[in-house]
Amino acid sequence: MSSAPYRNLEEDLISVDSAGSQSDAAKFSSQPTDGKREYNVEVVGMDDLSSNNRFRRGAEGLKYSRKCMLSIIFITVFAFLLILLVAIIAHGSNSKESAVESFFPWKDIRLPTSIKPQQYDIFLVPDLTHQFVMGNVSIIIHVNGTPNFIVIHAKNMMLNHTQLNEMDSSFKVVSPSDVEVKSPIMSEHLGAAYFGLSKNLKDGSIYQLNISFTYNRTEGLSGFYFSKYQEDNVTKVIGSTQMEPIDARRAFPCFDEPQLRANFTLKIVHDASNDVVLFNTPKSKTEPFGDASRKRLLTTFETTLSMSTYLVAFVICEFSNITTTTSSGTQVSVFSRREEGDQMQLALDAANKTIPFYESYFQLPYPLPKQDMVAIPNFAAGAMENWGLILYRESALLFKEGVTRAYRQQYVVVVIAHELAHQWFGNLVTMKWWDDLWLNEGFASYMEYVGTDNFRPEWNMMDQFIVDTTHEALARDALSESHPISVEIRDPDEIGARFDTITYSKGAAVIRMIHDYLGQDVFEKGLQIYLKRHAYNNTQTSDLWEALREASEANDKEVDVKDLMDYWTLQMGYPLVTFKKDKGKIHVTQEQFLIYPSGAPTDAYTSKFNYKWKIPLTYTYYTGPNTQSGSILVSPDEDAVFDVPSDIGWIKGNVNQSGFYRVNYNADNWKALTTVLLTDHGKMQPADRASIIDDAFHLFRAQKVDLEVPFEMIDYLKHERHYVPFVTTLDNLIYIRGVLQFHKLYDNFTIYLEGVLSQAMTDLTMEDTGDHLKKILRGRLVDFLLNNGHPETLKWAADNFVAYKNGSSTVGVNLAPIMKCGGVRTGREEDWNFVWEQFKSNKIASEKYVLLRAVTCTRDPAILTWLLFECLENRYIRSQDGISTIQYIFENPVGANIATNFVMENWDQLAEKYGSDLFALTRLVPKMTSWISGEVQSFHVLEFLNTKYESVPLGLQTAILQATEQLEVNVEFVKWSAEKMEQWLAEKLSASM
């Protein structure tokens, strides 16, 4: 770093360019260190399997300024001692405080409040060939107080020149500041730079902070990164971004916190061949840059609206696009690789209809002139809601009629609806800090169903919400190692871990609960108040509750929403509500529901409510021939009582499962509910049937009801054909089947299930016909039977796989993925080779996903082992799909143990390769334990996880604790229930003979 007058990097690069130097960028790049690992796999006849594959691991270290180089040896030795000391202290105190390096002067995870940015002018010169970036950023900052230092975020980059200029109130530079900016001290842990200053800054003053920087990106899918793809046998490179949650600091120095909103302008240099260059805003101009012979251009973009750093995005590519204009005047464009040009129409149609729908729903116009949506070939997340420039995985944006199955078609629309909802809820109004991440993601996860339901009402999305979102959240939040929706963030590593089921699905479920409690009109009005009041600003959860309260007050029924909802957002878990009938009265009690009977809530969080809830309780009961409904607000401080007729046939709590709680009953009422399901299930709504099933199975697993309560309901599948309750039952059976897969009961259990499901299979047939949900239901059923090892289904798959190889398959698009999996499962090596070659050559994103899943269905241990190592090498399986591929292998009974050993033996390589995407690792760890139910198997995995716990990021520690608990739940469940299930199955199978 230098205190010399600031030199404009744009001018420097023009002079270098005109001198004809084409290698300057390369000399700045640091070379990765290579690590080599060999493994041996012998599989005859497989061209892509080698006995000596090598892995090369890139290491991106912090680059120090010249003045810091003399300290490297000392710091290296000191760092070792520091790490050892921190580990001892952390182990002894069980502390989860941020592990900031001792030499870094600023210790807080949050930036000082003395500096606030207003405007960023970013200039970038990326070299896509060498994966190197040169740039400078000019930031207008406001000073509060008289600080003698500046802390700014910057990660994995060299900060070359830094300069402060004084500005007047009209933001014109008056003169270079007489304040000398000292060389930076870098924190790898915080991803930050500390600049000492020669004197204090002036309170209330405005400065221009200029920083030039360089970095190379050889690994990772975060910040500004590069990925390759093939087009007409030519390798193409695309530059794209992923800034959320805290990776804008990898792309340019910035104040990388959500509440530090600012305006952004971008100038970016690119080759003329990269004819598509995108930013959050439209282009302002494009002009030649430097030496004309190099055919480079400089594109400048319009200044953004005030927004957070994590929403900044830019793309450099050679894509094609299609465009339309919404009824309200927004230009919508979809971009993809040129060979995927015929797969963009669904996305364009969905956005074209959803943007005006949200404008009406929120009573606020979409504030930007354009909305671009881009399919990125290598993208870690499903999608990212960057304001005006949403980036997607290809499989989350592209759809090909006749190839992509119905479920994936729905998935594309749901993801688009989710990201478009963020344009208001998240972008226009943003949470102040990551502890309220759920305000962004929980709300968007609710609105994705509302938006999709508007686009395709026949898909019945609000019914699907229960099985896809509510049940998932209830299952996760029943663990004692869960966490509150709103939770304090104490370390950068915890931020990525909060992108989880609790934030997304539980957040959406409690939003749905308050929606149903307040009513549609009040709910919409409250959202409109919230968005208009806080537009272009940042909020906390209490701001949303206040807006909803005001809306309820205006509707002459004031609800203290904060008082009600704090019970659901500030403590983990949820209540089990128990109904006890006493003549004409129902007595209601509550307790926290935990799936592990001997468990207790984690001591990592405390509850000021003592794990009691204020519950908006709904109920319905049958008096013949009609049902009646009612509701009460249950106090956390005392039991509730309500009146019902003394002659009711049955009562059911949580109508349509709109509340986030489970319900238990006395034995007589459970029997009455079971009778209704078995004899006249149409008396209940599908959502109520689904919630009865889900509650019964989970209450059995928690030892709250006898085995007969859920198991006697299974026969009801002989008559049920509605998607939601049918799939709910399958999901619960999949869990039990999974923990029994290595148990002697497995065969009898699967034989019994095949008998129950035979009538449903006869009714649905193998013809890919019917409405949207029928097609998805048929696919779920056939997939269940295939994984059950059902002989007839396996034969169907094997026979049709032969026709598929010959190009004469007549299997419909919604059953084809199951057929391909079954063909690989039952086939020979040559069958696997055939699908593998199809995977490598296929250009349709959704089909590529199907084929990748299919190759993991093999029962050949050597092939599964090779696939696992390919997830490190990434020659054919993109890094975005590496963790998913390992997860698929965990779901293969032959592969589960192989994958577990692979993860344990290659933990460091996996952490190095995928560690920047903490969310990926938090999805992988639970898979290690989900399949284990034996004590011998569990011992080795528990031992491994215990050894890794202290050394992993804090965010990953939660995943380890949850995985450990799930393993204990599995083992204990089989121990106490196996004998009961064995006796029940024996009686059922004997009666059916």
Side-chain angles (χ1 to χ4, degrees), residues 279-293:
F279 183 54
N280 302 82
T281 53
K283 293 179 184 178
S284 174
K285 62 179 179 178
T286 298
E287 56 192 318
F289 180 84
D291 184 358
S293 66

Side-chain angles (χ1 to χ4, degrees), residues 1-2 28 30 60-80 82 101-104 154-161 183-189 192-195 214-216:
M1 303 303 162
S2 172
F28 284 98
S30 65
E60 286 186 295
L62 276 176
K63 302 182 180 68
Y64 294 86
S65 68
R66 209 180 328 181
K67 291 182 180 180
C68 295
M69 289 301 293
L70 296 177
S71 307
I72 288 179
I73 296 176
F74 170 75
I75 291 174
T76 301
V77 175
F78 180 74
F80 172 78
L82 175 68
E101 300 91 338
S102 63
F103 57 80
F104 194 71
K155 190 174 180 68
N156 296 135
M157 62 176 63
M158 179 183 291
L159 306 182
N160 301 316
H161 303 283
S183 298
I185 304 171
M186 308 297 293
S187 169
E188 171 71 14
H189 188 74
Y194 179 99
F195 291 99
T214 54
Y215 58 87
N216 67 312

Side-chain angles (χ1 to χ4, degrees), residues 46 48-49 228-230 337 339-340 377-378 393-395 403 408 801 804-805 820-821 824 830-857 863 866-871 873-886 888-889 914:
M46 300 179 65
D48 293 316
L49 271 63
K228 299 177 181 179
Y229 65 94
Q230 294 290 315
R337 290 184 286 156
E339 58 194 3
E340 297 173 329
N378 206 13
R393 274 193 188 207
E394 291 178 329
S395 60
V403 176
R408 296 300 294 187
F801 186 80
Y804 162 65
K805 287 177 64 179
K820 291 166 187 173
C821 175
V824 170
E830 66 186 54
D831 297 314
W832 187 92
N833 276 330
F834 177 81
V835 177
W836 178 247
E837 291 300 324
Q838 292 289 307
F839 164 75
K840 290 196 300 180
S841 62
N842 197 279
K843 305 299 183 184
I844 301 172
S846 58
E847 180 64 7
K848 206 169 182 69
Y849 166 87
V850 166
L851 294 165
L852 178 59
R853 188 75 185 257
V855 298
T856 68
C857 295
I863 297 177
W866 181 82
L867 283 171
L868 288 166
F869 279 102
E870 168 58 21
C871 294
E873 180 72 10
N874 297 137
R875 292 178 304 161
Y876 308 106
I877 298 175
R878 289 187 177 276
S879 55
Q880 69 170 17
D881 300 317
I883 295 296
S884 296
T885 303
I886 300 172
Y888 301 155
I889 295 173
Y914 298 104

Side-chain angles (χ1 to χ4, degrees), residues 513-528:
M513 181 170 67
I514 193 62
H515 165 276
D516 288 4
Y517 183 67
L518 296 175
Q520 177 70 24
D521 292 342
V522 171
F523 180 76
E524 280 192 35
K525 183 61 178 176
L527 296 186
Q528 293 162 12

Side-chain angles (χ1 to χ4, degrees), residues 747 750-751 753-755 766 782 784-799 822 825-826:
D747 287 344
T750 55
I751 290 170
L753 294 181
E754 288 162 12
M766 288 292 193
V782 175
F784 182 90
L785 290 171
L786 183 81
N787 289 314
N788 227 43
H790 183 225
E792 293 180 15
T793 306
L794 290 171
K795 185 178 185 304
W796 165 85
D799 291 346
R825 170 177 171 168
T826 60

Side-chain angles (χ1 to χ4, degrees), residues 579-872:
F579 283 9
K580 293 183 179 179
K581 185 175 180 293
D582 181 15
K583 298 180 181 179
K585 294 185 180 296
I586 300 294
H587 295 262
V588 180
T589 60
Q590 65 163 294
E591 62 183 299
Q592 184 185 9
F593 178 77
L594 292 171
I595 196 68
Y596 194 20
S598 60
T602 174
D603 58 5
Y605 308 102
T606 58
S607 169
K608 67 178 182 180
F609 306 113
N610 199 30
Y611 295 105
K612 296 289 185 178
W613 286 263
K614 185 171 286 189
I615 308 169
L617 178 68
T618 58
Y619 57 87
T620 183
Y621 56 84
Y622 180 72
T623 57
N626 301 313
T627 57
Q628 303 292 326
S629 298
S631 63
I632 59 171
L633 188 62
V634 177
S635 168
D637 302 319
E638 59 183 3
D639 297 344
V641 179
F642 61 88
D643 296 325
V644 295
S646 58
D647 61 344
I648 62 171
W650 49 263
I651 188 167
K652 195 267 173 188
N654 200 1
V655 178
N656 289 325
Q657 204 164 16
S658 62
F660 195 73
Y661 53 89
R662 296 195 184 278
V663 186
N664 197 4
Y665 313 91
N666 56 29
D668 289 342
N669 196 71
W670 275 118
K671 289 179 181 178
L673 292 173
T674 302
T675 299
V676 174
L677 290 178
L678 293 172
T679 62
D680 195 7
H681 64 269
K683 287 181 179 177
M684 294 182 185
Q685 292 297 313
D688 284 323
R689 305 198 295 268
S691 68
I692 289 172
I693 293 287
D694 199 57
D695 284 352
F697 274 96
H698 282 82
L699 289 171
F700 165 60
R701 289 169 53 189
Q703 300 186 47
K704 296 292 185 181
V705 300
D706 294 335
L707 173 144
E708 288 75 14
V709 171
F711 274 54
E712 291 296 335
M713 294 178 182
I714 296 174
D715 272 359
Y716 135 83
L717 288 184
K718 294 176 181 178
H719 314 290
E720 181 64 82
R721 297 296 176 268
H722 192 282
Y723 175 83
V724 172
F726 198 106
V727 169
T728 295
T729 311
L730 289 185
D731 286 343
N732 281 282
L733 295 175
I734 286 170
Y735 171 78
I736 296 176
R737 184 182 68 185
V739 296
L740 292 179
Q741 64 181 325
F742 301 112
H743 195 278
K744 64 179 181 179
L745 285 179
Y746 182 81
D747 287 344
N748 279 351
F749 186 66
T750 55
I751 290 170
Y752 167 70
L753 294 181
E754 288 162 12
V756 171
L757 297 170
S758 62
Q759 186 58 54
M761 197 64 258
T762 299
D763 293 347
L764 291 171
T765 77
M766 288 292 193
E767 297 297 321
D768 194 7
T769 58
D771 61 24
H772 178 77
L773 284 179
K774 187 174 183 179
K775 291 176 180 177
I776 298 177
L777 175 59
R778 180 186 292 110
R780 285 295 310 269
L781 177 56
V782 175
D783 184 64
F784 182 90
L785 290 171
L786 183 81
N787 289 314
N788 227 43
H790 183 225
E792 293 180 15
T793 306
L794 290 171
K795 185 178 185 304
W796 165 85
D799 291 346
N800 283 281
F801 186 80
V802 173
Y804 162 65
K805 287 177 64 179
N806 295 333
S808 58
S809 173
T810 58
V811 175
V813 62
N814 293 292
L815 296 180
I818 306 162
M819 175 268 291
K820 291 166 187 173
C821 175
V824 170
R825 170 177 171 168
T826 60
R828 297 172 297 179
E829 181 183 301
E830 66 186 54
D831 297 314
W832 187 92
N833 276 330
F834 177 81
V835 177
W836 178 247
E837 291 300 324
Q838 292 289 307
F839 164 75
K840 290 196 300 180
S841 62
N842 197 279
K843 305 299 183 184
I844 301 172
S846 58
E847 180 64 7
K848 206 169 182 69
Y849 166 87
V850 166
L851 294 165
L852 178 59
R853 188 75 185 257
V855 298
T856 68
C857 295
T858 180
R859 274 13 185 193
D860 188 322
I863 297 177
L864 292 171
T865 300
W866 181 82
L867 283 171
L868 288 166
F869 279 102
E870 168 58 21
C871 294
L872 289 175

Side-chain angles (χ1 to χ4, degrees), residues 276-428:
V276 174
V277 185
L278 303 170
F279 183 54
N280 302 82
T281 53
K283 293 179 184 178
S284 174
K285 62 179 179 178
T286 298
E287 56 192 318
F289 180 84
D291 184 358
S293 66
R294 297 189 61 185
K295 299 180 180 179
R296 296 206 293 175
L297 302 174
L298 173 66
T299 295
T300 303
F301 293 88
E302 296 176 9
T303 303
T304 71
L305 299 172
S306 174
M307 66 183 196
S308 302
T309 49
Y310 77 87
L311 295 171
V312 173
F314 36 90
V315 176
I316 305 174
C317 61
E318 300 177 43
F319 284 2
S320 62
N321 71 284
I322 57 175
T323 300
T324 190
T325 302
T326 69
S327 58
S328 51
T330 301
Q331 178 181 292
V332 180
S333 300
V334 182
F335 295 80
S336 74
R337 290 184 286 156
R338 290 165 181 164
E339 58 194 3
E340 297 173 329
D342 61 345
Q343 302 174 45
M344 297 187 285
Q345 191 61 49
L346 174 66
L348 191 69
D349 293 343
N352 188 36
K353 188 172 182 181
T354 302
I355 290 174
F357 170 71
Y358 284 159
E359 289 177 319
S360 174
Y361 195 100
F362 301 133
Q363 287 295 290
L364 276 174
Y366 177 75
L368 304 180
K370 60 98 173 177
Q371 178 62 75
D372 295 333
M373 305 194 300
V374 187
I376 304 296
N378 206 13
F379 196 71
M384 178 59 210
E385 66 267 17
N386 315 297
W387 215 356
L389 179 56
I390 305 174
L391 306 184
Y392 297 78
R393 274 193 188 207
E394 291 178 329
S395 60
L397 187 67
L398 305 177
F399 166 81
K400 188 171 180 64
E401 190 71 48
V403 176
T404 307
R405 57 196 170 116
Y407 180 79
R408 296 300 294 187
Q409 177 189 23
Q410 177 180 297
Y411 171 72
V412 167
V413 177
V414 166
V415 174
I416 290 170
H418 180 105
E419 304 308 327
L420 289 176
H422 273 311
Q423 306 304 298
W424 287 264
F425 232 98
N427 299 4
L428 181 67

